[in-house]
Amino acid sequence: MQMDNPLLESYRTLLETLRRDNLLRIIEDRDSGQGRIIKRGGRELLNFSSNDYLGLASANTYRNRTGKVLHGGAGASRLLSGGTAEHARLEQEIALWKGTETSLLFTSGYAANTGAVPALSDEETVIFSDELNHASIIDGCRLSRAEKTIYRHLDMAHLRAALSKTGCRKKIIVTESVFSMDGDIAPIDELAEIASRHEALLYIDDAHATGVLGGGKGSLAEFNISRQSFIIEMGTLSKAAGSIGGFIASTRLVREFLVNRARSLIYTTALPVHAVTTSIENIRMIRETPDLIRRLWRNREHLYSGLRDMNLDTGRSRTPIIPLILKDNSSALRLSEFLSSRGIYAPAIRYPTVRSPRLRITVTAGHQEDDLETLLSRLREALSAGLL
Ligand SMILES: *Cc1c(COP(=O)(O)O)cnc(C)c1O
């Protein structure tokens, strides 16, 4: 167990300095819609903080499924008057679900990665990033002043060697748990052990694991790893949670630090409250309906075994993301067009999104058994037509 991670220590120091200099930012959410008069901390205030110049953010109201009246646009950054009690409630729901002290909302997963990665790393930091990490992580690394080391995909020996070689004390390992184009799974247990041994932070992008692995809780639950302060988890509400928004699930310290340092949080408008409420409802649905995830995995196993029976190259997929790896771009395009002409949409993915061209097939809980059989029989046709 890692006791005093140097990066966590530096966050604590910075927050103390900001507090001393009266520069600390905190989030204080509204208890009302956006508008001329807002409620904050139980008091009604005449509001001079919004960017809702024409009053339209508060003009239209919506009712959620429980009948609660909601207002639309946030009208400002979360650090001004952009957030509401619903934003705070969603953060609590996420923390409860993920088993963390807190969570922090961003407007998207892209914003979470491009905000958190550079905020968490300074010029004395080395970021160790898997070569197949998502573009939002790569962009986060580019925005960071840290030194970057790219390790070969899931190659733990390479990562260990790179960590041993660095003289720097501040280190962050950044990885996806489920890789979005390959559907393979990072060895989160080994990564946690490596991070602990090298006093590094472990930053996990759980975009495709949330609502999918670990009974929906994500990769840490899947690997039975208890929460530790050096593990920071990122996720999105736009995939299994069926809504929009990104989040960081972490300790209070990391959250407070990000509130003060993550530019994609500070300098952008908060999520509209209807999106927030949709996320709350959908997370509850996932937690209360375990059959959804069971159905997802039943469908995944059905399709996967059908593809294996045809001896197709599905790479290292172990999740509902199943690539069909093809020999070149034109084969990928031809197969995708063939399927399209037979009523199936499975897009071809090519460079620079991936190195080896493929069809990326994603299976969901919404598919019926017939749907999976239809896809399999169309692929069998493609196989006998020499398209695969
Ligand atoms: C989709 C995705 C994101 C971005 O999430 P959005 O909410 O769509 O912006 C980040 N990381 C990974 C691995 C993703 O697949």
Side-chain angles (χ1 to χ4, degrees):
M1 172 98 173
Q2 232 190 101
M3 295 312 288
D4 53 344
N5 180 282
L7 273 166
L8 297 178
E9 214 41 67
S10 71
Y11 305 159
R12 210 168 279 126
T13 308
L14 178 97
L15 288 169
E16 274 160 24
T17 309
L18 292 176
R19 197 171 285 122
R20 195 195 55 216
D21 297 343
N22 293 315
L23 288 172
L24 192 72
R25 298 165 197 255
I26 53 165
I27 289 176
E28 286 178 287
D29 292 316
R30 275 181 277 122
D31 304 316
S32 67
Q34 186 57 276
R36 192 184 122 247
I37 293 172
I38 55 170
K39 238 172 116 179
R40 257 179 138 205
R43 294 174 61 223
E44 288 207 338
L45 302 165
L46 197 51
N47 181 23
F48 288 97
S49 74
S50 93
N51 302 317
D52 180 25
Y53 299 113
L54 302 178
L56 296 180
S58 46
N60 293 312
T61 58
Y62 309 84
R63 274 177 202 281
N64 70 5
R65 254 187 279 156
T66 60
K68 191 175 157 66
V69 175
L70 305 169
H71 296 265
S77 162
R78 185 87 182 278
L79 286 150
L80 297 173
S81 60
T84 66
E86 297 292 304
H87 292 73
R89 190 161 308 130
L90 174 54
E91 289 179 338
Q92 280 168 11
E93 290 283 340
I94 292 168
L96 208 67
W97 194 29
K98 291 283 184 180
T100 48
E101 273 179 20
T102 61
S103 78
L104 179 62
L105 280 177
F106 288 76
T107 46
S108 68
Y110 186 89
N113 278 335
T114 51
V117 172
L120 294 168
S121 53
D122 59 17
E123 53 281 294
E124 296 163 6
T125 307
V126 185
I127 299 176
F128 298 84
S129 178
D130 187 290
E131 66 178 336
L132 292 192
N133 275 342
H134 191 258
S136 57
I137 296 176
I138 296 171
D139 292 355
C141 289
R142 285 185 183 148
L143 286 169
S144 161
R145 284 168 299 168
E147 192 185 309
K148 294 103 191 170
T149 298
I150 312 299
Y151 61 91
R152 284 188 296 273
H153 181 50
L154 301 186
D155 187 338
M156 295 298 108
H158 191 199
L159 172 61
R160 280 179 207 271
L163 278 159
S164 302
K165 257 191 280 174
T166 179
C168 231
R169 287 191 67 233
K170 295 178 177 172
K171 300 161 203 157
I172 307 183
I173 302 167
V174 183
T175 186
E176 286 176 49
S177 47
V178 173
F179 282 80
S180 61
M181 289 297 145
D182 291 80
D184 50 353
I185 303 177
I188 298 295
D189 45 358
E190 202 176 339
L191 281 160
E193 181 261 311
I194 293 173
S196 185
R197 170 168 314 200
H198 290 272
E199 289 197 334
L201 293 186
L202 176 59
Y203 182 101
I204 301 172
D205 178 332
D206 230 27
H208 292 277
T210 302
V212 175
L213 294 184
K217 288 170 186 281
S219 61
L220 288 163
E222 180 80 19
F223 282 88
N224 238 321
I225 292 169
S226 61
R227 286 287 160 187
Q228 288 164 84
S229 59
F230 68 89
I231 300 177
I232 298 170
E233 186 178 329
M234 171 272 168
T236 175
L237 299 159
S238 67
K239 279 154 189 165
S243 179
I244 186 85
F247 62 83
I248 298 286
S250 67
T251 57
R252 271 185 210 96
L253 169 70
V254 167
R255 182 182 191 276
E256 192 178 8
F257 181 76
L258 289 175
V259 167
N260 281 274
R261 277 294 178 269
R263 296 168 68 84
S264 65
L265 172 89
I266 301 169
Y267 299 105
T268 198
T269 302
L271 282 168
V273 73
H274 42 82
V276 172
T277 314
T278 302
S279 299
I280 294 174
E281 287 174 3
N282 291 356
I283 288 174
R284 289 205 177 134
M285 175 92 89
I286 296 172
R287 299 186 71 185
E288 288 165 10
T289 327
D291 195 46
L292 275 177
I293 295 174
R294 277 199 289 270
R295 219 179 312 154
L296 167 66
W297 280 96
R298 217 166 35 236
N299 284 343
R300 190 269 171 194
E301 293 313 325
H302 182 138
L303 184 65
Y304 186 72
S305 65
L307 296 171
R308 300 300 300 181
D309 288 346
M310 291 159 74
N311 275 323
L312 300 181
D313 181 0
T314 54
R316 295 200 260 191
S317 166
R318 288 169 59 201
T319 65
I321 301 167
I322 311 177
L324 291 184
I325 314 276
L326 294 152
K327 64 176 192 302
D328 51 36
N329 291 328
S330 68
S331 314
L333 286 176
R334 255 184 300 147
L335 179 60
S336 181
E337 277 159 22
F338 174 87
L339 290 175
S340 173
S341 72
R342 279 153 183 76
I344 288 172
Y345 182 55
I349 314 277
R350 289 160 291 162
Y351 182 84
T353 307
V354 293
R355 246 179 278 157
S356 38
R358 67 198 59 193
L359 253 58
R360 177 178 181 265
I361 294 172
T362 51
V363 60
T364 74
H367 285 122
Q368 298 175 357
E369 226 175 282
D370 281 355
D371 304 337
L372 307 175
E373 283 304 322
T374 303
L375 173 58
L376 288 170
S377 73
R378 296 299 168 265
L379 283 170
R380 262 178 238 118
E381 278 176 43
L383 199 56
S384 40
L387 286 166
L388 256 162

